[in-house]
Each structure stands twice: as structure tokens, then as C-alpha cells.
Amino acid sequence: MTDTARGTSHRYGTRPTMKDVAARAGVGLKTVSRVVNGEPGVTPDTERRVQEAITALGFRRNDSARILRKGRTASIGLVLEDLADPFYGPLSRAVEEVARSHGALLINGSSAEDPAREQELVLALCARRVDGLVVIPAGDDHRYLEPEIAAGVATVFVDRPAGRIDADVVLSDNFGGARDAVAHLIAHGHRRIGFIGDQPRIHTARERLRGYRTAMAAAGLPVDDSWVSLGSTAPERVRAAAAAMLDAPEPVTALFAGNNRVTVTAVRVLRERPHPVALVGFDDFELADLVRPAITVVAQDAAHMGRTAAVQLFRRLDGVDETPRRMEIPTRLIPRGSGEIRPYEG
Amino acid sequence: MTDTARGTSHRYGTRPTMKDVAARAGVGLKTVSRVVNGEPGVTPDTERRVQEAITALGFRRNDSARILRKGRTASIGLVLEDLADPFYGPLSRAVEEVARSHGALLINGSSAEDPAREQELVLALCARRVDGLVVIPAGDDHRYLEPEIAAGVATVFVDRPAGRIDADVVLSDNFGGARDAVAHLIAHGHRRIGFIGDQPRIHTARERLRGYRTAMAAAGLPVDDSWVSLGSTAPERVRAAAAAMLDAPEPVTALFAGNNRVTVTAVRVLRERPHPVALVGFDDFELADLVRPAITVVAQDAAHMGRTAAVQLFRRLDGVDETPRRMEIPTRLIPRGSGEIRPYEG
DNA sequence: CCCCCAGTTGACAACGTTGTCTAGAGGCTA
DNA sequence: TAGCCTCTAGACAACGTTGTCAACTGGGGG
């Protein structure tokens, strides 16, 4: 690249301030402030002069200064795992929608499942003095938030509970959803059912496993250790896990996939198999009904979760002072075909 | 400790400031500032005392004040259409990634395809004094941005060009991609090909239509008016448009879908049809390879677009002063089956 | 005629931070 | 010992806005 042009250009333009507008309109600073904020006590004539000066100079109020003065920022922070994950799109959008309806902006960032990065992001948002936070936790210790919460930053956790602090949280009914899914498979005749889930340090993974075990136990079915595989959701690992369960001497006849990434890989794996294997996935995904067989899933309502969290956040910001709440959003079993396949009897 | 509720209520405000820290540490205000910002010129002993006071009080620098003082905010704004659209997830994430690598936060909002809302959002971001903007335009007149750009707010448009102002823009090769897609269908023997696209006021829709027409013309094929349908991408409309083309006396034998929403609806429609119809979609989508037949698409690289835009934005912020650039990201035709179906001869 | 009141308007001091400048405290050299 | 330098530290004035309060206007009532 050539040398960057120095000096001359519009380097960070001096933007006009209220003082400039005031000078141009021949009024006092405070009068400009009044006009800009639509406060009463300005004659139509003065207002017109000020408005003219504003447009002439291209003035735009500096919200940084305003925020500094007023204390509140009218913005909330959203920290999630990965914006590219389709689960978070609707959630994020729902939060934004609510924020918007309260006149607040949304600042967000992705933690990439890294607790250190989550903390870094959250604290950066606090330094910006966001009024509140919606956090999808990556870490399991949120005590670093205590001073912030004490200072009045409302915080709501979503999808996974906060670690070692007491705060509002919005969860899916992971346990119930998983139990229902597995019971559904059992009701269709399966007795050997495999579970492939996320890393056990993740709360939802543990809850779904618990649901799986509970459903099996409730039906009086044993669970062989080799039927349960928790770990990374990377395709290779899921592939290997599924293969192991399906190639065993007594193979599983159905799979319960712990989240949408696992489900998708499972679909690919099962497609290559000679015999039909039943499949239920946790998390719905677009096009689940287009695949053949269409995929039976336990659907979470991400938008509902986001909306609930944001509403609760603004309740807190409005001064509602109650003990932290745990809100659970129900899941819904959507039978589409893959979960209704009967056990293949070799 | 499930019991929170400190009687010494936390009603907003009274966060410790540098002044408080200074008082507690028995040093001057500026010394605290130095410690907080890691500036040199503080003895280890003094620094220790200050650090202690900081932790004891739970001090966190107020970035609003810092921003006001320094002028730059280390944040950029991203305005897109709809976070819930899977196309924007990876794009948004890529922008965030680059921002992060430059130490900047990302503030974002959705325009919901509403030009007024886009403008409102953009100006709100400017009032926050974001350093730069990445905008996926909803409107077609961006002159309202002129004062902002003149004042030094770097702006890069993505996916669609800016309206009536001259600015950096990152586009997909919509024309070339569409032309290739249709040429692909023609190469597989099709002579009557339908195009269902988005509203013609949208730049990408027009470009893709142009690609369609160009490919047809290049092959010496006529285009019947009834084969082209632009408008809302709502399923009902797409359904009706497809039905009309397929039920005509001389039905089309292939469809070219103008974006992923159209493609998905088209898949559903074609599934119900007695005869096979070829289909190529613009935009890739997850699972396109799981459907049977798998869907041939023209893939855009959303992450690449986001990254390119963000990189250009930070180049501008670093002072690079060149005439606005138009960057085109190539598309890629991915044959998967649905686009290789031969014309059905009744 | 004076007083009071309502309606406008602007001077001024915050808000919490950082840049600039100056004051001391030592240490070193001549 | 004087002179000079380096290093640490703090006083003070911005940054652009809003809340407070006081000053002015003109009109109406006593």
C-alpha cells in the first residue's frame, strides 16, 4: 500500500456542538438544548431559528456527553455464544425488538464459548455503562458480575443458569423435553437408544442427559454406558460416536441427538446406513421437514426465550425489585417421521 | 448463598469514580488514571495501593466519559435487515470478529427492510459517535448520511449499493452468479426457465434478473413474461407464482429461485408436483445437501463479505483516503442434483 | 403606579475522564 | 555546593451535554 495521506484531509472532523448552533442562531446554549430535546418554553420563532442553524451546520447531538450527564445509556448488552448459530438469530432479534420498543439500542458480542472472552466482553459492556445485560453464559462462575449488579446493572441469563450468583434466568425445559423425546422413542418400540450430546460442562447437555436417563428408567430400561456419548459436537466426533453405537454387537435402534449440530451430522450418518434408525433431535431447524424422512424434533422457542429475558430485564430496569426468578420455557415435540420409525429387527 | 437482598439497597448510581479511588488510595486523581490505563510513571508501590483501592471499591472506568474526552468510541455500528435471517448470521459474526481484532465493540440493529427505520437507526448510531458503520441498505437514498461522512464517520455498504451517495460497497456478483445458474440449466437442456425473485426495488433482485435475461439471450432463448415473477418472498406468493408457471399450457421445465427464502418454498412446491422440475437457488443454505434431490445453488460467501467490509472500514479509520471502492465477492455454483435434472417431456 | 406572575432565556456548575503543565524529590556531574 | 536532569505526582482545564437557578420581559390586577 502507498503511504497514507497525512494531515490534510478531514481527519476526525470537528463536529458542530450545541455551542456552535447557539452562536449561529444567536441564542444561548441551553435554548439549543431545549429545542433539540423538545422541551417546552421556547417561542416558535426562536425554535425556528435554532432549527435552521441545526440543519445548516448538520448538527447531531453527542450522546456520549448526554449519557455522561444523565447516567443512563438507553442501551443494553447481549452476550451470546455465536451469532452464526441459527439458534441465536431469532433470540437476538427478539431481544432487539424488545429493546427497541423501550427506546434502547443493543450492543452485542460473541463469547465463542470461551469463559474468559465472555468476562472480557461483559466488563467492556459494563464500562460502557449499558443499563442491562442479557447473557448466554459460556463460563460457570459469574461472581465477577457482583459489583456490577450491585451498582445497578440489571442482568438476565438465558439458556443456561448463572454460575455462583443469584440472578434472573430464562431456560428451556431441557429435562422435560429430553424425557419426552426419549419416551416417544420408547413408545415406538425402542429399547436400545443412544444419546449423543454436548460437553458435560454445559448445563443444557447435563439436563438433557438427565431427561434421557429418567425416561429410560421410567420405562424400566437399562442404559449401557456405550450408548451415551458426550463431548464436542464436531462432525467427526459425532460420526465416530454414532458409528460405535450402531456397529456394536447389540446396536442401538434409535438415536437421540442432544442439539441441532449433532442432529444434522446424525442425519448424514444415518443416510449412509443400510438399515433404518430412528432419530429425534433436540432443537428444531429450518428444513427439518424437507429431509426424508422428515426429522422429529424437540423444538425450543428461541424467540420466546429472548423476548422473555428482555422483558424481564426491562422490568428490572423499571425498578421491579423481587427475588431472582427462574423462568422455564416449554419445549414442544414435533413428530415428523424420523422419530416414529420402528426398531429394525436384523 | 441463595440469599441476596442487601438491605443497603443498590438503587442505581453511586458507582465509584477515579476520584473515590484516589481518595481511598491517598493519591491524586491523575495517578489513578495512569494506573487504570497502564501508563508509565507510577512507582510499583503507588500502583499497588491504587490497585487495592480499585478492587476494594469495585471500580470500573466509565467509558462514556472517556469517549467524550477522547473523541473516538472504539465501536462500530452494523445495520442489517434481519438478524434472524440465516444469511446475516455469518456476516454479522465476521464483522464482529474483525471489530474485535481492532479492539472495537459492535452495536447493531435491524432495519426490517424499512428505509425509515434504517435511517433512524443509523442516526442513532451516529449520535453515539460510532467510529464507523457497516450498512446493509434497506432504502435507496442515503444522502442523509452526507453530514456524518463529512464529519468522519467511515461507512461501508454491504450486499446492496448505497443510494445517491458515493461510498465503499461490498457486493456479491449477483449478475454473474445468476447468469451462471441459468446457463447451467440451459446446458442441461432447458429452454423454458422460470425466475421467481424478490421485489424489483431491491438491487440484488434486479441484478439477478439481469443475469437471468442475459443467460437466456446468450443462448438465443426467448423469455415469456409469464416466466418472470418478482415480488414479495412470502410463501403464498411464491407458491402462486410457481404454480402459474408450472400449470401453463407450455410449462417451464426449470426454476431459478432468486434467494434462499424463495428456494425453500420452491422445494416444498416441487415436492408436490407429479413431474420432476429442475431447480437452482441463489444463496446456499444449511442442509441443502440433505434434501432429495439435493439442491443446486449459487452460493454467496456471507462471511467473506462481512470480513471484507469490516476490513475496508478499518482501513478507512486508519486514515486510508482513496476514492470509494466497489468490491465484488464471487459466487460459486454448487451442483448437487436439483439443477442437473433434465427437462421433463410430457 | 406598583407588584406579582407566567413565560422565556441564558449563565453556570456538574457528569468522570484524559492531556498538559508544573512542582518536588532525588541523583548525578562538574 | 551549585546546576541539571529524570522520575513521580498532582492541579487544572477541557470534552459536550443537561439540571438549576436567576434574570429578564410584558401583561394584568390591586
Side-chain angles (χ1 to χ4, degrees):
Chain A
M1 200 65 257
T2 59
D3 290 42
T4 56
R6 284 276 164 266
T8 66
S9 64
H10 52 56
R11 266 303 21 88
Y12 205 52
T14 42
R15 296 188 70 123
T17 71
M18 286 191 178
K19 201 169 128 192
D20 301 323
V21 175
R24 167 136 187 165
V27 301
L29 175 55
K30 180 68 211 204
T31 301
V32 177
S33 171
R34 274 193 265 264
V35 171
V36 169
N37 296 295
E39 289 169 23
V42 181
T43 57
D45 181 59
T46 312
E47 169 156 8
R48 189 186 45 70
R49 291 217 315 286
V50 172
Q51 285 293 8
E52 278 174 14
I54 287 177
T55 13
L57 295 174
F59 167 81
R60 191 96 53 208
R61 181 180 62 197
N62 184 332
D63 275 0
S64 295
R66 169 169 230 251
I67 286 165
L68 174 59
R69 187 64 234 261
K70 301 197 76 123
R72 289 255 161 157
T73 61
S75 56
I76 66 174
L78 171 63
V79 177
L80 38 71
E81 187 212 322
D82 179 4
L83 259 175
D85 184 325
F87 178 69
Y88 296 113
L91 193 153
S92 172
R93 186 239 180 92
V95 171
E96 194 211 333
E97 210 69 42
V98 176
R100 183 181 145 76
S101 77
H102 285 257
L105 279 180
L106 185 64
I107 308 185
N108 60 17
S110 307
S111 67
E113 285 287 356
D114 175 355
R117 190 157 156 184
E118 173 205 302
Q119 174 168 352
E120 179 195 343
L121 250 168
V122 164
L123 293 183
L125 292 169
C126 288
R128 293 290 172 111
R129 295 294 187 270
V130 293
D131 296 334
L133 284 169
V134 174
V135 179
I136 296 169
D140 51 8
D141 186 350
H142 295 89
R143 280 174 300 176
Y144 69 86
L145 263 170
E146 274 170 353
E148 311 302 328
I149 293 175
V153 180
T155 306
V156 178
F157 290 81
V158 183
D159 195 37
R160 308 167 194 170
R164 316 189 66 169
I165 66 171
D166 203 20
D168 290 322
V169 55
V170 177
L171 301 172
S172 262
D173 180 11
N174 292 291
F175 168 74
R179 192 194 47 207
D180 294 353
V182 174
H184 184 76
L185 287 168
I186 294 171
H188 283 81
H190 296 274
R191 300 179 54 80
R192 295 191 305 276
I193 301 172
F195 174 60
I196 305 181
D198 213 327
Q199 304 171 50
R201 68 176 181 81
I202 298 175
H203 174 261
T204 54
R206 291 196 304 273
E207 282 295 288
R208 293 171 196 176
L209 173 59
R210 197 163 66 84
Y212 163 83
R213 289 198 186 280
T214 301
M216 293 296 273
L221 296 174
V223 173
D224 190 282
D225 280 352
S226 69
W227 301 347
V228 173
S229 168
L230 299 187
S232 142
T233 57
E236 314 79 55
R237 193 201 69 90
V238 171
R239 220 164 239 289
M245 293 177 196
L246 295 167
D247 291 334
E250 283 217 313
V252 300
T253 62
L255 282 178
F256 174 44
N259 69 31
N260 54 6
R261 290 182 297 272
V262 173
T263 307
V264 170
T265 304
V267 171
R268 292 186 214 275
V269 170
L270 296 187
R271 172 153 296 171
E272 298 156 7
R273 289 273 148 180
H275 309 308
V277 175
L279 173 67
V280 176
F282 207 106
D283 275 355
D284 199 4
F285 51 92
E286 214 189 341
L287 310 195
D289 63 318
L290 282 188
V291 180
R292 282 300 124 94
I295 309 300
T296 296
V297 299
V298 179
Q300 304 187 74
D301 192 340
H304 189 5
M305 292 174 73
R307 206 160 39 241
T308 306
V311 166
Q312 173 69 4
L313 185 67
F314 281 98
R315 265 165 48 85
R316 292 286 183 193
L317 289 177
D318 286 345
V320 172
D321 200 5
E322 55 193 9
T323 53
R325 281 170 62 177
R326 177 193 179 97
M327 287 157 282
E328 211 159 68
I329 308 297
T331 58
R332 197 162 51 96
L333 182 75
I334 307 179
R336 292 205 180 100
S338 75
E340 292 72 48
I341 295 173
R342 295 262 157 194
Y344 175 80
E345 305 298 351
Chain B
M1 309 305 114
T2 57
D3 205 302
T4 48
R6 288 284 64 82
T8 56
S9 130
H10 47 61
R11 269 296 31 90
Y12 196 65
T14 56
R15 288 189 76 121
T17 71
M18 285 191 179
K19 202 169 128 192
D20 302 322
V21 175
R24 167 135 188 166
V27 302
L29 175 55
K30 180 66 209 203
T31 301
V32 177
S33 172
R34 274 192 265 265
V35 171
V36 169
N37 295 295
E39 288 169 24
V42 181
T43 56
D45 181 60
T46 311
E47 169 156 7
R48 190 186 44 71
R49 290 219 315 286
V50 172
Q51 285 293 8
E52 279 173 15
I54 287 177
T55 9
L57 295 174
F59 167 80
R60 191 96 54 209
R61 180 180 64 198
N62 184 332
D63 275 0
S64 294
R66 170 170 230 254
I67 286 165
L68 173 59
R69 187 63 233 256
K70 301 197 76 124
R72 290 258 159 152
T73 61
S75 57
I76 67 175
L78 172 63
V79 177
L80 37 71
E81 188 211 321
D82 178 4
L83 260 174
D85 184 324
F87 178 68
Y88 296 113
L91 195 152
S92 173
R93 186 240 180 92
V95 172
E96 195 212 331
E97 209 69 42
V98 176
R100 182 180 145 77
S101 78
H102 285 257
L105 279 180
L106 185 64
I107 307 185
N108 61 16
S110 308
S111 66
E113 284 288 355
D114 175 355
R117 189 156 156 186
E118 173 205 302
Q119 175 168 352
E120 179 195 342
L121 248 168
V122 165
L123 292 183
L125 292 169
C126 289
R128 294 290 173 110
R129 294 295 188 269
V130 293
D131 297 333
L133 283 169
V134 175
V135 179
I136 296 168
D140 52 8
D141 186 349
H142 296 89
R143 280 174 300 177
Y144 68 87
L145 262 169
E146 275 169 353
E148 311 302 329
I149 292 175
V153 180
T155 306
V156 178
F157 290 82
V158 183
D159 196 37
R160 308 166 193 171
R164 315 187 67 170
I165 66 171
D166 203 20
D168 290 321
V169 56
V170 177
L171 301 172
S172 262
D173 180 12
N174 292 291
F175 168 74
R179 192 194 48 206
D180 294 353
V182 175
H184 183 77
L185 287 168
I186 294 171
H188 283 82
H190 296 273
R191 299 179 55 79
R192 295 191 304 277
I193 301 172
F195 174 59
I196 304 180
D198 212 328
Q199 303 171 51
R201 67 177 181 82
I202 298 176
H203 173 261
T204 55
R206 292 196 304 273
E207 281 295 288
R208 292 170 196 176
L209 172 60
R210 196 163 66 83
Y212 163 84
R213 289 198 186 278
T214 302
M216 293 296 273
L221 297 173
V223 173
D224 191 283
D225 281 351
S226 68
W227 301 346
V228 173
S229 168
L230 299 188
S232 142
T233 57
E236 314 79 56
R237 194 201 69 89
V238 172
R239 223 164 237 290
M245 294 178 196
L246 295 168
D247 291 333
E250 283 217 312
V252 299
T253 61
L255 282 178
F256 174 44
N259 69 30
N260 54 6
R261 290 182 298 271
V262 173
T263 307
V264 170
T265 304
V267 170
R268 292 185 215 274
V269 170
L270 296 186
R271 171 152 295 171
E272 298 155 7
R273 289 273 148 180
H275 310 308
V277 175
L279 172 68
V280 176
F282 208 108
D283 275 356
D284 199 4
F285 51 94
E286 215 190 342
L287 310 195
D289 63 318
L290 282 189
V291 180
R292 282 297 124 96
I295 309 300
T296 297
V297 299
V298 178
Q300 304 187 76
D301 192 339
H304 189 6
M305 293 174 75
R307 205 160 41 239
T308 305
V311 166
Q312 175 68 2
L313 185 67
F314 281 98
R315 265 164 50 84
R316 293 284 184 197
L317 289 177
D318 287 344
V320 172
D321 199 4
E322 56 192 9
T323 54
R325 282 169 61 176
R326 177 194 178 97
M327 287 157 282
E328 210 159 70
I329 307 297
T331 57
R332 196 161 51 97
L333 181 75
I334 306 179
R336 293 206 179 98
S338 74
E340 292 73 47
I341 295 173
R342 295 262 156 192
Y344 175 81
E345 305 298 353

